[in-house]
């Protein structure tokens, strides 16, 4: 069986009737940015089903505009923390109390780029909800002009060493309710976050629940607050794509002006996450001002967002070239020269398919064809060697964490489809 057919079969097996789980057992619900990437893959063979993936995600949107990181349409005892741990959230469907990187506008623009009448109808169908979500980010999660995060899980990069500054500054709640982790049942603990990290993750959840998930209070008063290059660059790119969608739909000038103001604010804030000592874009604790000390796979997303100065981009490429000589497969989630690099522990080293997708796209768009090809081809080589895993060891290409993974299958299908289109041209 071809890898393309295997990828299609994985997405079919992970389909739960209108939404797709990342993989069985480990992740039994609908994840926010997973669904966006899943739609990208399904669209290569079933556009109607791809669109259902997007609209089903929007069904979980909160009244304030937030689209949660996880939507709980059931209470699976095999997963923790499930809906009971998050408490009463204000959305129409039980969910987490935090969001995830807002890639949706970018995916929607790509899926409807032919601008047929049906494309325009689909864009119009979801525009207000996506606009409201972006407004939520800018109104609720922005501090001193830069988008912030209140929880490592919100960044999508759960245990990346970038968060150690913020986590070390906070205390585990003295009254933290006892719990039993379920992730280590499915995956070896050496691949997953530590117990101390989990205690702090749940301390933040407990605080959010205690204030009724008041999102602005969670941002201002919560125990963790950091700027994240992933959220920053993903939102900035999504704002630019949302602006193009708004213009294509003939939205009122006030809407266009609002989005353009977000873009201007985002571009201006890019310098906030530039670490002058490391000469790279890194996470930054917004209370102490301290920068993270390592190059991560989201440091390179300046190209994806078309942001940063020529000098900053050149330094970013220098880092990538250095790292490329130290790994077999680009792009690791953490600098292999850093002392806390671990090749197979979740976000401490492995390469991630969705990150390689965004990185390769940005590099290609900004004229860095060679590095774009390296990032894309290395992921494809890892898949060819090991299969459709959640992430991969950047030294060996060995698969890590969850197998039969939806976004890995989706990225493969998207790239194979693009290659076919190029061949046809």
């Amino acid at each position: 069986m071809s890898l393309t057919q295997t990828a299609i079969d994985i997405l079919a097996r992970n389909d739960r009737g209108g939404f797709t789980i990342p993989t069985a057992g480990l992740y039994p619900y609908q994840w926010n940015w997973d669904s966006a990437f899943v739609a990208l893959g399904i669209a290569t063979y079933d556009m109607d089903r791809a669109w259902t993936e997007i609209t089903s995600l929007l069904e979980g949107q909160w009244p304030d505009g937030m689209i949660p990181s996880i939507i709980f349409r059931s209470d699976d005892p095999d997963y923790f923390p499930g809906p009971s741990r998050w408490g009463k959230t204000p959305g129409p469907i039980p969910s987490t109390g935090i969001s995830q990187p807002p890639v949706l506008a970018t995916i929607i623009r790509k899926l409807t780029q032919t601008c047929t009448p049906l494309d325009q109808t689909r864009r119009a169908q979801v525009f207000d909800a996506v606009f409201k979500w972006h407004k939520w980010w800018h109104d609720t999660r922005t501090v001193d002009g830069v988008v912030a995060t209140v929880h490592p899980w919100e960044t999508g990069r759960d245990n990346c060493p970038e968060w150690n500054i913020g986590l070390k500054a906070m205390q585990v709640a003295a009254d933290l309710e006892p719990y039993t982790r379920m992730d280590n049942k499915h995956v070896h603990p050496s691949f997953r976050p530590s117990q101390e990290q989990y205690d702090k993750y749940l301390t933040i959840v407990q605080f959010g629940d205690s204030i009724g998930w008041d999102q602005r209070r969670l941002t201002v008063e919560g125990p963790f607050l950091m700027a994240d290059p992933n959220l920053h660059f993903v939102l900035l790119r999504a704002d630019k794509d949302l602006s193009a969608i708004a213009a294509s739909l003939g939205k009122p000038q006030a809407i266009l002006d609002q989005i353009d103001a977000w873009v201007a604010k985002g571009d201006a804030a890019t310098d906030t996450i530039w670490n002058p000592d490391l000469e790279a874009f890194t996470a930054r604790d917004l209370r102490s001002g301290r920068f993270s000390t390592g190059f991560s796979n989201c440091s390179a997303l300046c190209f994806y967002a078309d942001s940063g100065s020529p000098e900053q981009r050149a330094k970013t490429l220098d880092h990538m070239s250095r790292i490329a000589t130290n790994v077999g497969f680009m792009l690791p989630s953490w600098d292999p020269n850093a002392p806390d690099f671990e090749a197979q522990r979740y976000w401490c080293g492995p390469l991630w398919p969705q990150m390689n997708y965004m990185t390769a796209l940005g590099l290609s768009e900004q004229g860095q064809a060679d590095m774009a090809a390296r990032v894309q081809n290395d992921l494809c080589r890892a898949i060819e060697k090991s299969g459709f895993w959640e992430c991969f060891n950047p030294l060996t290409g060995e698969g890590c964490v969850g197998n039969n993974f939806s976004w890995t299958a989706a990225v493969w299908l998207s790239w194979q489809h693009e290659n076919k289109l190029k061949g046809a041209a």
Side-chain angles (χ1 to χ4, degrees), residues 35-59:
S35 271
F37 286 106
V38 162
L40 190 68
I42 295 177
T44 63
Y45 58 90
D46 188 344
M47 182 62 79
D48 289 341
R49 177 60 186 82
W51 201 251
T52 300
E53 190 74 28
I54 291 170
T55 55
S56 70
L57 177 62
L58 296 176
E59 290 171 0

Side-chain angles (χ1 to χ4, degrees), residues 75-93:
D75 192 352
D76 191 323
D78 212 26
Y79 178 84
F80 180 86
S84 59
R85 190 72 180 204
W86 289 91
K88 184 174 176 54
T89 51
I93 306 172

Side-chain angles (χ1 to χ4, degrees), residues 118-134:
L118 180 56
D119 289 333
Q120 287 292 76
T121 298
R122 284 171 163 159
R123 286 182 169 189
Q125 178 186 1
V126 300
F127 179 85
D128 289 348
V130 178
F131 177 86
K132 190 176 182 182
W133 187 28
H134 284 224

Side-chain angles (χ1 to χ4, degrees), residues 277-290:
D277 294 328
L278 189 65
E279 295 187 309
F281 293 109
T282 70
R284 187 176 189 179
D285 188 273
L286 292 178
R287 293 188 173 125
S288 69
R290 292 178 60 201

Side-chain angles (χ1 to χ4, degrees), residues 320-371:
M320 296 183 75
S321 297
R322 169 182 59 80
I323 290 169
T325 66
N326 290 310
V327 297
F329 298 81
M330 286 285 276
L331 178 65
S333 50
W334 195 239
D335 195 326
N337 295 131
D340 41 10
F341 171 82
E342 296 181 75
Q344 293 191 202
R345 187 185 287 276
Y346 219 41
W347 287 90
C348 298
L351 73 84
W352 287 76
Q354 84 286 20
M355 301 300 295
N356 272 36
Y357 175 85
M358 292 187 291
T359 302
L361 177 62
L363 288 164
S364 177
E365 289 173 340
Q366 302 306 319
Q368 302 297 332
D370 290 345
M371 187 60 75

Side-chain angles (χ1 to χ4, degrees), residues 235-384:
L235 178 61
L236 180 53
R237 167 65 184 254
D239 280 337
K240 293 176 180 181
D241 288 320
L242 189 65
S243 177
I245 293 171
S248 78
L249 292 173
K251 289 295 179 179
Q253 190 62 44
I255 296 290
L256 299 174
D257 290 346
Q258 176 65 86
I259 301 172
D260 288 346
W262 293 339
V263 169
K265 183 191 74 171
D267 274 325
T270 293
D271 280 343
T272 304
I273 55 171
W274 178 255
N275 182 335
D277 294 328
L278 189 65
E279 295 187 309
F281 293 109
T282 70
R284 187 176 189 179
D285 188 273
L286 292 178
R287 293 188 173 125
S288 69
R290 292 178 60 201
F291 287 100
S292 164
T293 57
F295 188 94
S296 73
N297 54 0
C298 67
S299 301
L301 292 182
C302 55
F303 295 98
Y304 175 74
D306 189 13
S307 193
S309 69
E311 293 77 17
Q312 289 168 336
R313 295 188 190 191
K315 292 293 184 182
T316 299
L317 282 172
D318 288 344
H319 279 290
M320 296 183 75
S321 297
R322 169 182 59 80
I323 290 169
T325 66
N326 290 310
V327 297
F329 298 81
M330 286 285 276
L331 178 65
S333 50
W334 195 239
D335 195 326
N337 295 131
D340 41 10
F341 171 82
E342 296 181 75
Q344 293 191 202
R345 187 185 287 276
Y346 219 41
W347 287 90
C348 298
L351 73 84
W352 287 76
Q354 84 286 20
M355 301 300 295
N356 272 36
Y357 175 85
M358 292 187 291
T359 302
L361 177 62
L363 288 164
S364 177
E365 289 173 340
Q366 302 306 319
Q368 302 297 332
D370 290 345
M371 187 60 75
R374 172 73 194 266
V375 170
Q376 179 171 336
N377 292 339
D378 281 5
L379 173 58
C380 290
R381 288 195 302 116
I383 292 171
E384 289 164 350

